[in-house]
Amino acid sequence: MLLNVFIRSFLVIGITLFIGCAPNKKDRQVALFDSYCASCHMAPDINSLPKHLWKNKVLPEMAARMGIRDSTNNPFKGVSLVEQGEILKTGVYPSNPIIAMEDWKILEEYILNNAPDSLSSYPTRPLAEVKQFQTKTLAIDSIEGSNISYLKIDQNNQKILAGSLQGQLLRYDYALSELEPVIKAASTITDYTQKSDNTYLTTIGFLLPSEIASGALGIKNGEIIKSLPQKLHRPVHTLIHDFDKDGIDEIVVSEFGDLKGQLALWKKNADGHFIEQVLLNQPGVIKTEARDINNDGKDDLIAVTSQGEEGITILYQTEEMKFRPEQVLRFPPNYGTSWFETLDFDKDGDLDIITAHGDNADETYTMKPYHGLRIHLNDGLNHFEESFFYPLNGCTRFLSGDFDQDGDEDLALLSTFPDYENHPHETFIYLENRNTKTFDFKSYRLADPNLGRWFLLDSGDIDHDGDIDIVLGSLTYVYSPIPKELQERWKNENVDLLILENMLN
């Protein structure tokens, strides 16, 4: 807390000195925006949100984070005393203003005078109906609607693993068309990994935003069940990997959190106890991958972050399990960055990065034309440049693969927050790669795009016929505006999974 106060005081002094040099009101407004709106994340473009969202959502939250508080922006309203205490510990909401009221009014006026009344939508594009995949619906429980929180294809055993909000993990045998329970957890399942003799189960704890750490990671070996020695702050992804190549796996946990969060690595010591090493001290960590991205023989870690400081960070392993973070991609806080993959997309021998942007479950819900999929090519020195953008409202997940077996990478995208008014068919898009060099893709959609509210997807040869299939998981939990007719349909039809069987072979 003391460190937060010191940093904030230093920041205020620096900003005040800088702004004090601005000669006129317009320059002062620009200086205030550039300074305060980029102090903890990349400054957003004022034109990226409509005026009513700036006025009613963003500016009140900004005011609270600058210590300006009234009945319209009280961060402690409606939360428990325990939650209030945890929020206070974060230091996110100072008790005293860190900006002069005159400057706040100038900043507020500047934003509202320049923000647009609305955002434009991207043009409607031709979408062919996908014929390469044959669809099969599956209900894994009798609960109305669908609640899939975890999804993984076990292609070796022709099985699909699906976790639910209720903590149930089920296994579907594709060959036998049989469903069997695996485990019942205490809260929502977000990850499940079987490696060697160990099984790792991650549960989120509080599903809704909270500063109270109540998540957990359990480890089962035979009849012995252990867990990490402390509660986790809304963990959403777990990576099991032997980074130091000593034959013992480390555990990397992405604790999404809320106001605070972290990326942590857990390693067993000589006594068999897990020791925590915090790699990133920030909220919104969603996923990690282990890659030797600089080809030095040591596996590095790549992470995607959201919650304000959106971007991709490479954590280079230096020596003795030390990691040096370097943010290689950075995005504005309203991009809704939610997923990534590393792959050699252009087949030039180095790893490129593809990102998905479309999380719209926040206070600024509106259709955002900058949401979609981005391909960032590597220049060979691990500098990445955006080379292709495919707009797709609410694009939260994607996966790559040579689905048509022509030697290049195709892409499968899903939208959890589609534009039901202007682009109702764009809930799942299959991009057939026709020319990698020119980024020539042909876009396909499902015959019935709204069988579910697609939240997760995975791929693998589930039917063992030599090509890659896709499975979509649906989560109809309502956390953004949904047409009533779709809510009723999802409630009555109860489609939990949609299997897209590749008919290539």
Side-chain angles (χ1 to χ4, degrees):
M1 179 71 77
L2 183 61
L3 179 62
N4 286 335
V5 172
F6 172 78
I7 292 173
R8 188 176 293 114
S9 300
F10 181 81
L11 181 65
V12 171
I13 293 170
I15 290 175
T16 302
L17 290 173
F18 173 72
I19 292 171
C21 301
N24 56 52
K25 183 177 180 180
K26 179 62 181 298
D27 290 342
R28 188 176 180 82
Q29 288 176 324
V30 173
L32 283 165
F33 183 83
D34 290 343
S35 299
Y36 282 102
C37 295
S39 61
C40 56
H41 53 65
M42 186 175 180
D45 186 337
I46 292 178
N47 292 310
S48 65
L49 288 175
K51 186 174 300 185
H52 73 277
L53 288 180
W54 279 108
K55 181 179 180 179
N56 300 323
K57 299 295 184 180
V58 179
L59 287 171
E61 177 65 14
M62 283 177 59
R65 292 186 181 224
M66 293 183 184
I68 300 171
R69 197 178 305 163
D70 57 32
S71 60
T72 66
N73 65 355
N74 183 359
F76 305 105
K77 184 179 180 180
V79 301
S80 69
L81 289 176
V82 175
E83 186 75 47
Q84 288 183 37
E86 295 302 315
I87 293 173
L88 280 170
K89 289 178 185 178
T90 68
V92 170
Y93 300 104
S95 55
N96 297 308
I98 64 171
I99 183 175
M101 186 57 68
E102 177 188 357
D103 285 342
W104 170 250
K105 293 297 183 183
I106 291 173
L107 176 59
E108 188 178 42
E109 177 188 13
Y110 173 67
I111 292 173
L112 294 178
N113 284 345
N114 287 278
D117 292 327
S118 62
L119 303 183
S120 59
S121 177
Y122 53 81
T124 300
R125 55 197 165 204
L127 296 173
E129 185 179 316
V130 64
K131 302 293 186 181
Q132 185 179 328
F133 298 90
Q134 179 176 296
T135 60
K136 175 184 178 181
T137 61
L138 180 65
I140 65 171
D141 55 39
S142 58
I143 300 173
E144 290 183 344
S146 50
N147 300 280
I148 303 302
S149 61
Y150 169 77
L151 179 64
K152 188 70 177 177
I153 292 178
D154 176 5
Q155 68 175 15
N156 292 331
N157 298 306
Q158 289 187 273
K159 294 180 180 180
I160 301 170
L161 287 161
S164 72
L165 294 183
Q166 292 77 21
Q168 187 76 43
L169 182 68
L170 299 168
R171 183 185 290 117
Y172 176 72
D173 190 313
Y174 184 86
L176 301 177
S177 297
E178 292 180 353
L179 197 65
E180 62 174 334
V182 178
I183 196 170
K184 179 65 173 71
S187 69
T188 298
I189 294 170
T190 54
D191 213 317
Y192 179 83
T193 302
Q194 291 179 295
K195 190 173 182 183
S196 301
D197 296 327
N198 292 323
T199 298
Y200 304 83
L201 178 70
T202 307
T203 54
I204 197 169
F206 286 114
L207 181 64
L208 297 178
S210 173
E211 286 308 304
I212 301 173
S214 59
L217 192 150
I219 307 164
K220 183 179 180 182
N221 185 303
E223 297 302 316
I224 301 173
I225 300 176
K226 297 182 179 180
S227 61
L228 293 183
Q230 67 188 42
K231 291 295 184 181
L232 305 176
H233 195 179
R234 301 178 75 219
V236 294
H237 183 266
T238 301
L239 174 67
I240 311 299
H241 188 77
D242 183 7
F243 282 93
D244 55 3
K245 298 179 171 57
D246 65 351
I248 302 173
D249 285 322
E250 284 74 50
I251 303 172
V252 178
V253 184
S254 300
E255 296 181 61
F256 188 92
D258 185 27
L259 300 174
K260 293 293 184 179
Q262 65 179 25
L263 175 67
L265 181 146
W266 294 83
K267 180 174 176 59
K268 272 188 178 180
N269 63 13
D271 297 327
H273 298 118
F274 284 101
I275 305 299
E276 180 189 33
Q277 177 185 353
V278 177
L279 303 179
L280 290 177
N281 189 15
Q282 66 182 87
V285 187
I286 297 174
K287 175 200 172 188
T288 58
E289 290 184 7
R291 296 277 199 168
D292 181 9
I293 201 162
N294 57 356
N295 299 312
D296 65 351
K298 295 186 288 290
D299 288 339
D300 310 303
L301 195 61
I302 303 99
V304 60
T305 57
S306 59
Q307 287 292 86
E309 186 55 88
E310 299 191 14
I312 300 291
T313 298
I314 298 176
L315 296 102
Y316 292 101
Q317 186 179 171
T318 55
E319 57 186 18
E320 297 180 356
M321 291 292 291
K322 301 297 182 184
F323 291 85
R324 174 179 59 83
E326 180 182 326
Q327 190 179 51
V328 294
L329 291 171
R330 197 181 191 204
F331 309 107
N334 50 342
Y335 264 41
T337 305
S338 53
W339 204 247
F340 84 103
E341 281 188 17
T342 56
L343 69 159
D344 186 4
F345 180 80
D346 55 3
K347 311 297 183 186
D348 66 348
D350 52 35
L351 290 174
D352 308 303
I353 298 175
I354 305 180
T355 54
H357 310 264
D359 184 0
N360 221 348
D362 58 20
E363 296 296 326
T364 62
Y365 180 83
T366 189
M367 293 301 110
K368 298 166 181 171
Y370 41 86
H371 277 181
L373 177 137
R374 290 173 167 83
I375 298 176
H376 314 267
L377 296 183
N378 192 335
D379 67 355
L381 299 173
N382 293 334
H383 303 139
F384 299 86
E385 181 178 352
E386 181 182 321
S387 303
F388 174 75
F389 171 59
Y390 186 89
L392 179 63
N393 287 301
C395 179
T396 51
R397 286 288 193 277
F398 73 93
L399 51 81
S400 62
D402 188 6
F403 296 103
D404 55 5
Q405 297 183 352
D406 64 351
D408 54 29
E409 296 291 338
D410 309 301
L411 297 164
L413 294 65
L414 65 75
S415 169
T416 304
F417 307 93
D419 184 349
Y420 290 109
E421 182 177 346
N422 298 303
H423 306 286
H425 300 301
E426 297 187 357
T427 62
F428 171 84
I429 300 290
Y430 170 58
L431 295 181
E432 177 194 351
N433 188 351
R434 299 192 294 190
N435 190 312
T436 297
K437 186 171 292 187
T438 61
F439 301 100
D440 180 17
F441 294 95
K442 184 170 183 179
S443 303
Y444 296 87
R445 67 172 180 87
L446 296 173
D448 188 350
N450 292 306
L451 280 167
R453 186 181 194 182
W454 310 125
F455 182 65
L456 299 172
L457 79 169
D458 197 20
S459 62
D461 187 7
I462 188 67
D463 54 4
H464 283 194
D465 66 349
D467 52 31
I468 306 174
D469 310 299
I470 300 172
V471 177
L472 305 181
S474 177
L475 180 66
T476 57
Y477 181 88
V478 177
Y479 41 87
S480 65
I482 299 290
K484 286 187 177 181
E485 59 270 21
L486 283 182
Q487 293 184 44
E488 285 299 314
R489 180 185 183 186
W490 296 336
K491 177 181 176 181
N492 295 327
E493 296 185 2
N494 192 25
V495 175
D496 294 312
L497 302 177
L498 182 66
I499 301 173
L500 278 64
E501 182 183 343
N502 196 334
M503 305 306 292
L504 192 65
N505 295 326

